Amino acid sequence: MRLNDRELADFERDGYLFIPNLFSAAEVEVLRAELPRIFALERPEILRAETGETRASLAMERYSEPFARLRRHPRLVEPGRKILGGEVYCHQYKIVVKDPFGALDFPWHQDFASWHAADGMPEPLAMNYAVFLDEVTEFNGPITFIPGSHRRGRREAEAEPLPGATPLYTLDTDMVRRLVAEGGLVAPKGPPGSGIFFHGCMAHASAPNISPWPRHIVYVTCNRVDNYIRKPTRPDYYASQDFTALEPLADDCLLQPATVAAE
Amino acid sequence: MRLNDRELADFERDGYLFIPNLFSAAEVEVLRAELPRIFALERPEILRAETGETRASLAMERYSEPFARLRRHPRLVEPGRKILGGEVYCHQYKIVVKDPFGALDFPWHQDFASWHAADGMPEPLAMNYAVFLDEVTEFNGPITFIPGSHRRGRREAEAEPLPGATPLYTLDTDMVRRLVAEGGLVAPKGPPGSGIFFHGCMAHASAPNISPWPRHIVYVTCNRVDNYIRKPTRPDYYASQDFTALEPLADDCLLQPATVAAE
């Protein structure tokens, strides 16, 4: 999985790349099979809402071998290196859960604002890979982006407390209006296994899931090694302090038999 | 505007008909030009949220001549007569406003449940026409339907208080799952002037508007005259007690010069 020049130019212009079927159905099934076990764990990395509803799991490489492999998957690590122009490490790793008929939504924000404020990440030399574990449709709260908004860099934003998570730095509505006037809106949708690579300064939001279908999306945040975080204030499962470069595994790593223990 | 047999069969099977560009841009402009004046009125028919945000206006025929004309427009009244099989009157007439970045959403419900419980409407011989005054996109909270859900008739539902409105009778999630398993989901989207005709027993919901674009939709509820309401409990601007059959105006009525006073 190497990005070609057109894909790289698209990413630079739009701030994201959508790749339907980045992972096969068989690969997705290996990951999905882990979900019931993961969300039954009682660990600090598993975040629940006050209602008991699961919101997210973090740092899955600590308790799931398939997710440990995904984190080092060449279809993620190699594009990350190419886009960010150097070795990358994993800053944050999570599964965000939007349950059927759930309340979870996200106001307009840029992720880099949090990484900068809460973790001391110096520059926006970090990005996310989103991997869909369920089909994402217009009905289950797709991530909605403002294409090109990453080119403005980090915008002024206000810290908004979010239940079961660290604060989001939300963009004010005038800023969002200006960014949308320039770039419009897009919400990539597609089958399980589809991937979105997106820049840490991309403005994005999402509506709640009004459908009977769950929406599990894995997010791997990778940061260029020389842009390691300087002032961590959060538990390390929110913001890793292991800055070791990710070494990609083999392309078929998700389909290989399990080894004795998770990495 | 007469429905052909295929359209009528579609409505009977699916519970709705979507007609892009039912009204022209010029006709929509006549209606849109009224909005600032209407939403500046201080009248009991103008509903506002506690935050001051406008939610809806009701019974616009009382204070807007263009909207008085729309209520009797042949492109609405004639399909209504044909679908419901007889003369129709207007039970409720409103503009629902989803402001940019607004909080307004609707859980899964059937309108007939309210008309039956709050107004004493005997049978589901009533329907809505929705007319888009703004473009409806995937981003500004489109109405989402479960096709075919009207065929199950009125389902058990729980009264849920809704700020600035009468209670909604919300469907429980098991019921919604069953209906969606049979019929799927659909959210008609299109330019201003598009219309949706939908049955009073159609299960529908909508997410909030996360975009910088407003979403104004007019709803005309028409009821068959012999199905007039028996036990009104709400102000008459929620549930009309004038059961006079709607007489359609001329097809170009929205483009005619204003007369001296509203009807």
Side-chain angles (χ1 to χ4, degrees):
Chain A
M1 170 74 199
R2 300 192 183 273
L3 297 182
N4 61 39
D5 288 347
R6 194 179 56 76
E7 289 170 321
L8 202 60
D10 284 352
F11 185 94
E12 282 173 8
R13 184 190 63 228
D14 299 332
Y16 78 102
L17 266 184
F18 176 53
I19 305 181
N21 299 300
L22 178 63
F23 293 94
S24 70
E27 290 172 321
V28 171
E29 201 38 53
V30 170
L31 299 168
R32 287 170 60 107
E34 283 285 277
L35 299 179
R37 189 183 66 76
I38 287 176
F39 290 113
L41 295 173
E42 294 290 339
R43 298 182 58 115
E45 299 94 341
I46 312 295
L47 311 180
R48 293 185 173 85
E50 279 174 25
T51 56
E53 205 179 313
T54 307
R55 285 283 192 253
S57 63
L58 287 153
M60 297 86 75
E61 76 279 9
R62 300 181 183 178
Y63 46 82
S64 165
E65 182 174 352
F67 279 97
R69 294 179 185 196
L70 179 67
R71 184 170 157 275
R72 292 176 55 194
H73 202 287
R75 279 173 245 158
L76 304 180
V77 178
E78 287 170 6
R81 286 175 173 173
K82 182 139 182 184
I83 287 169
L84 297 175
E87 294 285 332
V88 297
Y89 75 94
C90 180
H91 172 65
Q92 189 181 82
Y93 188 31
K94 61 182 185 279
I95 306 168
V96 173
V97 186
K98 285 193 177 180
D99 277 332
F101 313 113
L104 189 65
D105 60 4
F106 292 93
W108 288 102
H109 68 285
Q110 296 175 305
D111 289 348
F112 177 68
S114 297
W115 305 335
H116 185 72
D119 310 324
M121 186 184 289
E123 297 296 329
L125 292 168
M127 58 175 285
N128 293 306
Y129 322 115
V131 178
F132 301 174
L133 299 185
D134 296 299
E135 183 174 359
V136 174
T137 72
E138 63 185 300
F139 306 115
N140 63 0
I143 319 167
T144 303
F145 297 101
I146 306 176
S149 54
H150 67 300
R151 292 198 305 266
R152 302 274 216 113
R154 182 170 59 93
R155 311 308 306 170
E156 283 304 307
E158 205 169 316
E160 179 169 314
L162 202 71
T166 48
L168 278 193
Y169 286 78
T170 58
L171 296 164
D172 76 32
T173 59
D174 285 343
M175 174 62 64
V176 177
R177 276 178 207 282
R178 283 200 294 277
L179 295 171
V180 173
E182 292 171 5
L185 291 175
V186 66
K189 291 170 282 285
S194 299
I196 310 173
F197 303 159
F198 63 100
H199 192 283
C201 289
M202 276 292 271
H204 59 292
S206 67
N209 178 2
I210 64 169
S211 83
W213 306 301
R215 197 214 72 168
H216 293 84
I217 296 183
V218 182
Y219 293 88
V220 189
T221 301
C222 75
N223 186 23
R224 210 167 77 180
V225 168
D226 59 356
N227 193 47
Y228 67 91
I229 62 174
R230 305 303 205 262
K231 292 180 188 159
T233 65
R234 303 192 282 182
D236 62 354
Y237 50 87
Y238 279 104
S240 176
Q241 295 181 45
D242 175 358
F243 310 132
T244 312
L246 291 171
E247 280 306 316
L249 299 174
D251 192 73
D252 65 352
C253 60
L254 288 172
L255 302 176
Q256 292 302 311
T259 53
V260 178
E263 81 168 345
Chain B
M1 171 74 200
R2 300 191 183 274
L3 298 183
N4 61 39
D5 288 348
R6 194 179 56 76
E7 289 170 321
L8 203 60
D10 284 352
F11 186 95
E12 282 173 8
R13 184 191 63 227
D14 298 333
Y16 79 102
L17 266 184
F18 176 53
I19 305 180
N21 299 300
L22 178 64
F23 293 94
S24 71
E27 290 173 320
V28 171
E29 202 37 55
V30 170
L31 300 168
R32 287 170 59 107
E34 285 283 277
L35 298 179
R37 189 182 66 76
I38 288 176
F39 290 113
L41 295 173
E42 293 290 339
R43 298 182 57 115
E45 299 94 341
I46 313 294
L47 310 181
R48 292 184 174 85
E50 279 174 26
T51 57
E53 205 179 313
T54 306
R55 286 284 193 251
S57 64
L58 287 152
M60 298 85 76
E61 76 279 9
R62 300 181 183 178
Y63 46 84
S64 166
E65 181 172 354
F67 279 97
R69 294 179 185 197
L70 179 67
R71 184 170 157 275
R72 293 175 54 193
H73 201 288
R75 278 173 246 159
L76 304 180
V77 177
E78 287 171 6
R81 287 175 172 173
K82 182 138 180 182
I83 287 169
L84 298 176
E87 295 285 332
V88 297
Y89 75 94
C90 181
H91 173 65
Q92 189 181 82
Y93 188 32
K94 61 182 185 279
I95 306 169
V96 173
V97 186
K98 285 193 178 180
D99 278 331
F101 313 113
L104 188 64
D105 60 3
F106 292 94
W108 288 102
H109 68 285
Q110 295 174 306
D111 289 348
F112 177 68
S114 297
W115 305 335
H116 185 72
D119 310 325
M121 185 184 290
E123 297 296 329
L125 292 167
M127 57 176 284
N128 291 306
Y129 321 116
V131 178
F132 300 174
L133 298 185
D134 296 299
E135 184 173 358
V136 173
T137 72
E138 64 186 297
F139 306 115
N140 62 0
I143 320 167
T144 302
F145 297 101
I146 306 176
S149 54
H150 67 300
R151 292 199 305 266
R152 302 274 217 116
R154 182 169 61 90
R155 312 307 307 169
E156 283 305 306
E158 204 170 316
E160 180 169 314
L162 202 72
T166 47
L168 278 193
Y169 286 79
T170 58
L171 296 164
D172 75 32
T173 58
D174 285 342
M175 173 63 64
V176 176
R177 275 178 207 282
R178 282 199 295 276
L179 295 171
V180 173
E182 291 170 6
L185 291 174
V186 67
K189 292 170 282 285
S194 300
I196 310 173
F197 304 158
F198 63 101
H199 192 283
C201 289
M202 276 292 272
H204 59 292
S206 67
N209 178 3
I210 64 170
S211 84
W213 306 301
R215 198 215 70 168
H216 293 84
I217 297 182
V218 183
Y219 293 88
V220 189
T221 302
C222 76
N223 186 21
R224 210 167 78 180
V225 169
D226 60 355
N227 193 46
Y228 67 92
I229 61 173
R230 306 301 205 262
K231 292 180 187 159
T233 64
R234 302 192 282 182
D236 62 354
Y237 50 87
Y238 278 105
S240 175
Q241 295 181 46
D242 175 357
F243 310 133
T244 312
L246 291 171
E247 280 305 315
L249 299 174
D251 193 72
D252 65 352
C253 60
L254 287 171
L255 302 176
Q256 292 302 310
T259 54
V260 179
E263 81 168 348

